[in-house]
Amino acid sequence: MKERLQKVLARAGLASRRKAEEYIAQGRVMVDGRRVEKMGELVDPERQTITCDGRPVRETAEKVTVLLNKPAGYVTTMADPQGRPIVSALIDEPGLRLFPVGRLDLDTEGALLLTNDGDLAQRILHPSKEINRTYQARVQGQPAAEGLEALRRGIILEGRQTWPAGIRVLRREPGATTLEVVIHEGRKRQVRKMFAAIGHPVLYLKRVAYGGLRLGGLPRGKYRRLSEDDLRLIFR
Ligand code: URA
């Protein structure tokens, strides 16, 4: 399959796409022995020989997945035209382009996976896998038992029934309640919308687990590389 040269270079872990464009413009990249300085050339990495500074460029075999404790105020993206802080700026893995698996709202914190393994990302995000996401939500007021029961059974949000949710009260305090919420859907701002729908807006939201993989004591803004065992926990 033909793809843009800078994309192939980036995916090979050689550099970011922008850096790869610089290399091309500098005349350092050859395709089948021919120097390519024009941007956007379509190449077939399986059939053509691509070199940079005379060294062959190959697809990276190394698949890396990290678990980040996303702070509030960071956008789940690899670039933000508005110039807000982005989650990829918190990842220091030279030569690897890790992209977020799904998203967390700007104002939500906690567990966010980033990976360069497209197949893994697909498996985690596909609804048929029904991977639970566990959240800690602090909501306004004291939700009544009936409201929580409605969320457990599923409510109509934007014309569509939500799947049954696991909901457990962790702590009650004057004016607010902290709950654990387990869902496997990833609708936009779903937890916030669920509690708003029963009249108890979310004050604070943190994702604490993907499947059986927990955030644990990972400090805010820090990440760790996941092992094969960690990856298996996601699907457990
Ligand atoms: N639900 C939300 O409301 N926000 C998130 O970021 C994730 C789930």
Side-chain angles (χ1 to χ4, degrees), residues 211-232:
L213 178 71
R214 299 198 67 86
L215 189 59
L218 195 60
R220 194 176 280 151
K222 299 289 181 206
Y223 72 92
R224 67 178 179 90
R225 278 196 183 209
L226 298 183
S227 66
E228 289 296 323
D229 283 345
D230 288 323
L231 295 179
R232 274 190 284 276

Side-chain angles (χ1 to χ4, degrees), residues 103-105 108 135 187 189-193 205:
R103 61 191 296 286
L104 280 180
D105 301 332
T108 299
Y135 298 87
R187 297 205 226 164
R189 297 182 78 80
Q190 179 161 346
V191 175
R192 292 177 194 278
K193 285 177 185 162
L205 187 61

Side-chain angles (χ1 to χ4, degrees), residues 74-223:
Y74 277 74
V75 194
T76 304
T77 178
M78 299 178 75
D80 184 53
Q82 294 176 48
R84 294 170 297 184
I86 56 176
V87 290
S88 26
L90 297 168
I91 309 295
D92 181 24
E93 295 286 345
L96 294 176
R97 302 259 305 161
L98 304 185
F99 56 86
V101 180
R103 61 191 296 286
L104 280 180
D105 301 332
L106 180 69
D107 40 358
T108 299
E109 58 180 51
L112 180 68
L113 296 173
L114 295 101
T115 188
N116 61 357
D117 184 341
D119 296 331
L120 177 74
Q122 172 75 12
R123 281 195 290 137
I124 293 171
L125 293 174
H126 202 278
S128 69
K129 298 283 185 234
E130 301 191 0
I131 294 186
N132 283 333
R133 279 95 166 140
T134 306
Y135 298 87
Q136 245 179 49
R138 189 162 170 269
V139 307
Q140 204 177 78
Q142 309 287 342
E146 304 81 70
L148 297 182
E149 203 41 50
L151 295 184
R152 288 192 188 103
R153 282 194 306 266
I155 57 165
I156 305 287
L157 269 190
E158 287 148 1
R160 235 166 8 106
Q161 176 94 8
T162 59
W163 283 84
I167 306 224
R168 202 156 61 89
V169 173
L170 299 177
R171 202 164 48 247
R172 291 192 188 270
E173 53 186 298
T177 305
T178 301
L179 307 105
E180 183 190 76
V181 181
V182 185
I183 57 174
H184 65 254
E185 285 174 285
R187 297 205 226 164
K188 206 166 175 203
R189 297 182 78 80
Q190 179 161 346
V191 175
R192 292 177 194 278
K193 285 177 185 162
M194 284 166 56
F195 282 93
I198 63 161
H200 295 276
V202 168
L203 305 171
Y204 166 83
L205 187 61
K206 178 179 187 175
R207 179 156 59 201
V208 294
Y210 275 90
L213 178 71
R214 299 198 67 86
L215 189 59
L218 195 60
R220 194 176 280 151
K222 299 289 181 206
Y223 72 92

